[in-house]
Amino acid sequence: MAAVSPKEIGILSSVIFLCYWNSLFCGFVFDDVSAILDNKDLHPSTPLKKLFQDDFWGTPMSEERSHKSYRPLTVLTFRLNYLFSELNAVSYHFLNVVLHAVVCVVFLKVCRLYMDTKISLLAALLFAVHPIHTEAVTGVVGRAELLSSIFLLAAFLSYTKSKGPDNSIVWTPIAVAVSLVAVATLCKEQGITVVGICCVYEVFIAQGYTLPVLWDTTMQILMGKGSIPYSMLQTLLKLVVLMFSTLLLVVVRVQVIQSQLPVFTRFDNPAAVSTTPARQLTFNYLLPVNAWLLLNPSELCCDWTMGTIPLIESVLDIRNLATLLFYLLLGYFIVFSVRYSGDSSKTVLMALCLIILPFIPASNLFFPVGFVVAERVLYVPSMGFCMLVAHGWKKFSSKGLKKLSWIFLALVLFTHAIKTFNRNWDWESEYTLFMSALKVNKNNAKLWNNVGHALENEKNYERALRFFKKATEVQPDDIGAHMNVGRTYKNLNRSKEAEESYLIAKALMPQVIPGKKYAARVAPNHLNVYINLANLIRANESRLEEADQLYRQAISMRPDFKQAYISRGELLLKMNKPLEAKEAYVKALELDRMNADLWYNLAIVYIELKDPSEALRNFNQALELSPRHKLALFNSALLMQESGSARLRPEAKRRLLTYVEEEPHDANGYFNLGMLAMDEKKDTEAEVWMKKAIQLHQGFRSALFNLALLYSQTSRELEALPVLDELLRFYPDHTKGLILKGDILMNQKKDIKGAKKCFEKIVEMDPNNVQGKHNLCVVYFEERDLIKAEKCLVETLALAPHEEYIQRHLSIVRGKIMALNTAGLSVPPKEGALTFPEQEKKQAEEKGSKKKTPIKKLEDEKNVPKANSPSRSKTRHVKSKPQHEKNIDKEGQQKSTKEIKEIENKRVAALKRLEEIERILSGE
């Protein structure tokens, strides 16, 4: 066997690059979305052991909705891509192209076992440019085929070295081959089929047996005319080792899938649920369909499910002739390859092995699979096809038609290369991919649905609706299509039509018979019709019970339907039934304890139940599973902040800093960092965070007020005024902002008129606002209108009869009026007379008392959201989040009397006007 030269490697690599360089500009499409974009197993935060517990799509193998495709090593390579470039599709496509080049080189090495240098290179070139491979190479999920093929071919090459001198057994290559078979199987299930290839190789190639020789030898042994040859015993020993290894791998594989086959619907593979003879006739007809795709790859389609290939329901169907012709041709090649010895028969035999054996798991002949035809599963079988074509070309050219054969060969290579290059562009986006498929097949409702999904992702709902409706016309009983129509109507705010579509989908579901156990196996995605319909009608407060009934119906059909428990938990919270919501989430956690979102939702329930410590414990559990869970980071930090515990502040700050790394454009994270800094008296840091929040969210109410308050308490009152002006421009009725502004105007700028406007506006908006009315009384005193000030204080005292400071201020005013009347004066104080605060100060100095009596002061706006606030809502696709999440812009914090007094003491410096009053009163 001649070695593969660097020149040949260069030729193959160059051809592959020319055919596939444009695939680097393609994105993640079709199955890539589930396997890459939605697969948490790619994230570094996911433990590596999860790769060996979940299927190819990131679903736990123990769940019935799992596809049962166990390919952890392939997922591992996706994870390496993610570490290198996260979700940049270029690196994923580039690695696929490199792997395809590696497969071609290893395949060339295999071809050298049976063909000369030129013909083996020709077979490798045909394989390199074949258009059927675009799905395996340009589709990122096709990497499973690429990796499995590399190890499959390597295992075979290793096994070919197991025959030593004098027909002895060399065990090391066999051990290596078995190990490589296991690796190939962990990349994709079809890797195990190489064992069959090795068995055929051992009997017919390595030992040189033909079918007649085997028959004669067997008959002689059975008739007692001879003993078993030593070479045959050695062959049997090697076959036993191979078969035992295969059996072991099968047992392990069955254990991994927990002896459960995946659930496929009749839409995925209509023939799988058909009756005899339609099932058998259709599945056998699929064999010539796949062969035709290899022979004439002019019309390729990314999805061959549903109505793509109509069922063959009668033996009189003309398509049965294609099946018959296929089996006749296949039988001829098999007989030729096993009956005769010689290089030609050996080449044909190994080509047939590569065509037939790796295709068996996808053939539907022995067990149903989730597709009718899939182009990427033809990746390995195409190797055998290319070997046959190259071998046939050699025979053809040797019969005096050399020039014509070269023209034919050049034409095939050129047209295939052009087709491959152009086909790559179809995989540029989901829209281009599914539109190209519709050109080939218009009878597949799934394709119409997928074009609709692509348009839906672009927010083009009107066009998407047309494609979804077309899907319902092509396949009227397609539950998913009607669900898509309903969802699109909902996105278009056409709730009535959406409900009608959901009801049609619901009517197509198997019906539950009261008193009888529901035994039908329903695809979990179809059960979403109950979830979608319930989510739609629960927007109407009068239909909450009806929505709850739908959730319970879904649960009754599938008690392990996790999403139903999650959605019902949200609804029960909305219905103010937190204990029942807790039960729903606990049940969901029994089904999936590794779901960080469930722990997060349960934490929200505990907030509703007024149990912050348990809520924090559940937030921490969510973060243990997903350390960068944004909502858990944010809301747990707020809970720590709300607790008032100085011990928890560093951890709260760390979580908020992590949150702003994840959400750098969310002003709420920066605002709460500012509030934490204010609590820790880090005024400069607090100012930076508040300004960042305001920069990201113009008109951020709480950030503006607290920044102004920060300036006020750090003796920068004049800097606070423009901030308050901006606050009042967005929120003219902001009471506390008006109070603070009035205080600064009266106290710092001596602008009595401006302060008076602020306080008058407060009283106009809320005549019962004690603080605003009291401050207006102070303004009247400043204006020396003692009669009006007295009347104002009397009215204020009536609103708050237990406020001692109002009583004292009223006594001061009345004392002043009495003093003026005693002096014979009936007019307000003239220039030089004591103003209200000055009078208080003088009295304080005269009495010389050190006692201080607390008075009503401005309260700060600590923005600590409450769990039952509905205004902050963050939801993610597919995952359920409560609709009552944290309200970032809610003012006022429910705290104990002791905490309020502590906060007031912190803000004393910002309230100088009232401090003067307090100092005066302290002397009484």
Side-chain angles (χ1 to χ4, degrees):
M1 178 183 69
V4 177
S5 68
K7 180 180 178 181
E8 290 171 322
I9 295 175
I11 292 172
L12 285 172
S13 300
S14 300
V15 169
I16 290 169
F17 177 76
L18 290 173
C19 289
Y20 285 101
W21 68 266
N22 60 333
S23 69
L24 302 181
F25 300 97
C26 298
F28 295 116
V29 298
F30 203 16
D31 290 339
D32 297 346
V33 176
S34 299
I36 308 296
L37 300 183
D38 298 337
N39 192 347
K40 287 186 177 180
D41 288 348
L42 271 63
H43 301 174
S45 58
T46 303
L48 278 174
K49 66 178 182 180
K50 284 283 289 176
L51 273 65
F52 296 89
Q53 297 171 348
D54 297 346
D55 67 12
F56 188 52
W57 317 98
T59 304
M61 294 290 290
S62 57
E63 294 189 12
E64 188 174 351
R65 64 189 178 95
S66 168
H67 198 274
K68 309 301 181 186
S69 46
Y70 189 65
R71 304 161 191 172
L73 296 186
T74 302
V75 179
L76 182 61
T77 66
F78 293 152
R79 184 163 173 145
L80 293 174
N81 272 120
Y82 189 91
L83 286 174
F84 177 74
S85 63
E86 292 193 352
L87 294 177
N88 184 347
V90 174
S91 72
Y92 294 80
H93 288 294
F94 177 76
L95 184 54
N96 271 25
V97 174
V98 171
L99 290 174
H100 181 51
V102 173
V103 173
C104 291
V105 172
V106 180
F107 175 57
L108 174 60
K109 197 172 181 65
V110 170
C111 291
R112 289 283 161 84
L113 295 171
Y114 317 105
M115 296 184 285
D116 60 36
T117 302
K118 181 175 68 174
I119 302 305
S120 58
L121 179 61
L122 171 58
L125 284 172
L126 287 169
F127 177 78
V129 303
H130 203 296
I132 202 72
H133 300 155
T134 50
E135 183 171 343
V137 180
T138 309
V140 177
V141 296
R143 185 177 300 175
E145 267 73 27
L146 304 175
L147 289 170
S148 179
S149 299
I150 291 173
F151 294 110
L152 180 150
L153 295 175
F156 177 69
L157 286 173
S158 177
Y159 184 81
T160 59
K161 300 174 183 178
S162 63
K163 181 180 178 181
D166 301 325
N167 207 25
S168 61
I169 301 176
V170 183
W171 290 106
T172 301
I174 296 177
V176 172
V178 170
S179 300
L180 290 172
V181 170
V183 174
T185 306
L186 290 175
C187 294
K188 192 176 181 182
E189 297 79 359
Q190 70 180 23
I192 199 171
T193 60
V194 71
V195 174
I197 299 175
C198 291
C199 290
V200 174
Y201 170 83
E202 178 65 32
V203 174
F204 294 99
I205 308 297
Q207 301 301 329
Y209 290 117
T210 62
L211 191 59
V213 172
L214 282 175
W215 176 260
D216 291 341
T217 304
T218 304
M219 292 306 296
Q220 287 181 8
I221 294 172
L222 292 176
M223 295 172 65
K225 295 182 179 180
S227 60
I228 301 176
Y230 179 72
S231 62
M232 185 173 287
L233 287 174
Q234 287 187 310
T235 300
L236 289 173
L237 179 60
K238 292 168 76 173
L239 294 181
V240 167
V241 171
L242 288 175
M243 299 305 351
F244 178 78
S245 303
T246 304
L247 181 61
L248 183 62
L249 287 174
V250 170
V251 170
V252 172
R253 185 68 173 82
V254 171
Q255 289 296 317
V256 167
I257 66 173
Q258 300 183 4
S259 304
Q260 292 181 346
L261 288 175
V263 178
F264 299 120
T265 69
R266 58 191 175 87
F267 304 110
D268 297 321
N269 192 346
V273 295
S274 299
T275 58
T276 303
R279 175 188 175 112
Q280 291 77 15
L281 292 175
T282 303
F283 281 157
N284 281 279
Y285 172 68
L286 295 180
L287 301 179
V289 170
N290 282 280
W292 181 250
L293 286 175
L294 290 174
L295 187 63
N296 179 30
S298 58
E299 293 187 340
L300 300 177
C301 181
C302 63
D303 193 295
W304 294 80
T305 57
M306 304 189 86
T308 303
I309 299 177
L311 296 175
I312 299 179
E313 298 179 317
S314 170
V315 292
L316 299 178
D317 193 308
I318 191 67
R319 290 174 292 173
N320 289 319
L321 292 177
T323 306
L324 180 61
L325 180 62
F326 171 81
Y327 275 114
L328 288 174
L329 187 62
L330 180 64
Y332 169 77
F333 279 125
I334 291 175
V335 169
F336 171 78
S337 61
V338 299
R339 185 172 182 180
Y340 303 104
S341 60
D343 293 339
S344 181
S345 60
K346 291 179 180 179
T347 302
V348 172
L349 178 61
M350 294 315 300
L352 290 176
C353 286
L354 286 171
I355 292 174
I356 298 171
L357 296 177
F359 184 72
I360 286 176
S363 66
N364 280 292
L365 295 177
F366 298 98
F367 49 83
V369 294
F371 53 82
V372 179
V373 174
E375 292 165 11
R376 62 173 175 258
V377 303
L378 294 174
Y379 189 77
V380 176
S382 68
M383 295 179 186
F385 175 79
C386 292
M387 287 177 64
L388 281 179
V389 172
H391 183 65
W393 180 86
K394 178 183 178 182
K395 296 290 185 182
F396 186 74
S397 61
S398 64
K399 293 183 178 181
L401 300 172
K402 192 170 184 179
K403 186 174 181 180
L404 182 62
S405 63
W406 276 105
I407 294 174
F408 173 77
L409 175 62
L411 184 63
V412 169
L413 287 173
F414 179 76
T415 55
H416 277 38
I418 294 298
K419 174 64 177 179
T420 298
F421 183 83
N422 291 332
R423 175 64 173 159
N424 289 334
W425 289 122
D426 292 340
W427 292 79
E428 184 178 12
S429 68
E430 292 207 319
Y431 179 78
T432 56
L433 178 63
F434 297 126
M435 285 300 292
S436 69
L438 281 176
K439 294 175 183 176
V440 176
N441 174 29
K442 291 181 171 57
N443 296 321
N444 187 339
K446 189 174 179 180
L447 294 176
W448 293 99
N449 279 320
N450 284 335
V451 175
H453 286 310
L455 293 169
E456 185 181 29
N457 292 336
E458 297 173 359
K459 311 298 182 186
N460 192 343
Y461 297 123
E462 291 288 354
R463 285 192 66 199
L465 182 60
R466 291 199 292 271
F467 281 90
F468 289 142
K469 283 187 172 181
K470 183 65 177 178
T472 63
E473 294 173 8
V474 171
Q475 189 88 33
D477 59 350
D478 183 3
I479 297 172
H482 291 287
M483 289 169 61
N484 292 334
V485 172
R487 186 181 61 255
T488 310
Y489 274 132
K490 183 182 178 182
N491 289 330
L492 291 170
N493 297 317
R494 295 164 65 177
S495 299
K496 182 179 179 181
E497 293 94 331
E499 184 173 352
E500 291 173 354
S501 296
Y502 285 141
L503 288 173
I504 293 173
K506 180 173 174 286
L508 293 170
M509 292 286 291
Q511 299 302 304
V512 178
I513 301 174
K516 291 190 177 182
K517 184 178 179 181
Y518 186 80
R521 303 180 84 198
V522 181
N525 61 315
H526 285 171
L527 279 175
N528 283 326
V529 65
Y530 295 97
I531 307 300
N532 294 347
L533 181 57
N535 290 344
L536 176 69
I537 65 176
R538 80 182 198 183
N540 185 340
E541 294 289 339
S542 65
R543 303 181 69 182
L544 298 182
E545 289 293 343
E546 185 180 348
D548 188 34
Q549 177 62 32
L550 286 167
Y551 291 136
R552 283 186 278 128
Q553 186 174 355
I555 291 171
S556 70
M557 297 179 77
R558 286 184 66 97
D560 62 344
F561 189 21
K562 179 179 63 181
Q563 186 58 45
Y565 291 105
I566 296 172
S567 299
R568 185 165 186 253
E570 295 176 23
L571 178 67
L572 291 169
L573 279 174
K574 186 176 182 179
M575 297 170 70
N576 198 26
K577 297 179 179 180
L579 287 175
E580 292 183 45
K582 174 186 170 183
E583 292 177 4
Y585 284 129
V586 168
K587 182 63 179 177
L589 277 170
E590 290 176 4
L591 298 170
D592 184 8
R593 296 193 63 82
M594 302 303 292
N595 190 320
D597 295 304
L598 285 176
W599 290 103
Y600 168 82
N601 288 352
L602 188 57
I604 296 298
V605 173
Y606 278 112
I607 289 176
E608 287 290 323
L609 293 171
K610 313 299 182 188
D611 191 347
S613 60
E614 192 65 23
L616 186 57
R617 188 186 72 81
N618 283 277
F619 279 137
N620 292 340
Q621 185 68 35
L623 290 171
E624 184 178 331
L625 294 170
S626 178
R628 302 186 79 83
H629 191 291
K630 292 181 284 190
L631 292 172
L633 284 168
F634 182 81
N635 289 308
S636 63
L638 295 188
L639 200 60
M640 293 176 178
Q641 186 179 358
E642 186 180 22
S643 71
S645 172
R647 179 179 58 85
L648 294 176
R649 285 175 190 162
E651 178 61 18
K653 181 178 180 180
R654 186 195 67 79
R655 294 187 182 187
L656 286 172
L657 287 171
T658 306
Y659 174 78
V660 297
E661 288 178 9
E662 295 292 312
E663 291 286 347
H665 302 296
D666 186 356
N668 300 306
Y670 299 100
F671 168 74
N672 283 283
L673 280 168
M675 296 307 298
L676 270 177
M678 288 180 70
D679 287 342
E680 296 177 335
K681 299 182 180 180
K682 297 179 180 179
D683 299 330
T684 303
E685 182 181 335
E687 180 183 357
V688 172
W689 293 126
M690 292 295 181
K691 286 183 174 179
K692 179 68 173 178
I694 295 168
Q695 178 185 350
L696 290 171
H697 180 187
Q698 189 178 17
F700 194 158
R701 176 180 176 133
S702 294
L704 286 167
F705 176 81
N706 282 283
L707 180 59
L709 195 61
L710 177 65
Y711 285 145
S712 177
Q713 74 180 20
T714 53
S715 303
R716 298 160 65 186
E717 290 86 350
L718 296 182
E719 293 182 52
L721 281 177
V723 179
L724 288 168
D725 287 338
E726 185 178 358
L727 170 67
L728 295 171
R729 178 166 64 88
F730 286 100
Y731 309 99
D733 58 348
H734 194 286
T735 302
K736 294 177 183 178
L738 288 167
I739 290 175
L740 184 57
K741 181 180 180 181
D743 181 78
I744 294 173
L745 289 174
M746 187 166 62
N747 203 40
Q748 300 297 322
K749 299 200 72 175
K750 309 301 180 184
D751 183 357
I752 305 301
K753 290 183 179 180
K756 184 177 181 181
K757 288 181 181 179
C758 292
F759 299 137
E760 283 179 339
K761 185 165 185 179
I762 294 172
V763 175
E764 179 184 348
M765 294 185 300
D766 181 10
N768 296 325
N769 188 296
V770 176
Q771 196 169 353
K773 196 168 183 67
H774 170 265
N775 288 359
L776 184 59
C777 300
V778 176
V779 170
Y780 292 151
F781 190 92
E782 290 287 348
E783 292 178 338
R784 302 168 186 170
D785 191 341
L786 298 180
I787 301 301
K788 200 168 185 178
E790 179 189 21
K791 181 182 178 182
C792 178
L793 285 168
V794 169
E795 293 173 353
T796 307
L797 186 60
L799 295 173
H802 302 295
E803 291 289 353
E804 188 179 356
Y805 74 95
I806 300 177
Q807 297 175 6
R808 295 192 179 194
H809 290 181
L810 180 58
S811 297
I812 292 173
V813 172
R814 286 176 172 171
K816 182 64 176 175
I817 294 173
M818 187 179 296
L820 291 174
N821 289 337
T822 302
L825 299 174
S826 59
V827 293
K830 296 180 181 179
E831 292 294 333
L834 289 176
T835 63
F836 187 25
E838 288 171 338
Q839 177 70 19
E840 287 180 312
K841 184 175 181 181
K842 182 177 180 182
Q843 292 177 8
E845 289 171 350
E846 288 173 353
K847 295 192 177 183
S849 172
K850 299 295 182 181
K851 180 181 178 182
K852 289 186 181 253
T853 304
I855 66 167
K856 181 85 170 169
K857 297 186 296 221
L858 285 176
E859 294 179 355
D860 67 312
E861 294 193 9
K862 292 283 281 184
N863 184 32
V864 181
K866 299 302 164 195
N868 59 357
S869 173
S871 60
R872 176 177 174 85
S873 176
K874 283 195 175 186
T875 57
R876 292 192 295 178
H877 181 62
V878 178
K879 289 198 170 68
S880 173
K881 290 286 183 286
Q883 301 301 311
H884 57 280
E885 295 183 16
K886 305 293 184 174
N887 178 10
I888 298 305
D889 198 28
K890 181 174 179 180
E891 298 179 30
Q893 177 183 5
Q894 301 296 328
K895 289 184 176 289
S896 67
T897 303
K898 181 179 178 181
E899 289 173 323
I900 291 175
K901 288 180 180 179
E902 289 175 356
I903 293 169
E904 288 177 346
N905 291 334
K906 290 180 184 179
R907 311 298 185 232
V908 147
L911 312 172
K912 292 191 175 180
R913 189 62 179 170
L914 296 179
E915 279 183 333
E916 291 181 11
I917 297 173
E918 185 177 12
R919 284 197 298 272
I920 293 168
L921 292 176
S922 67
E924 292 190 51

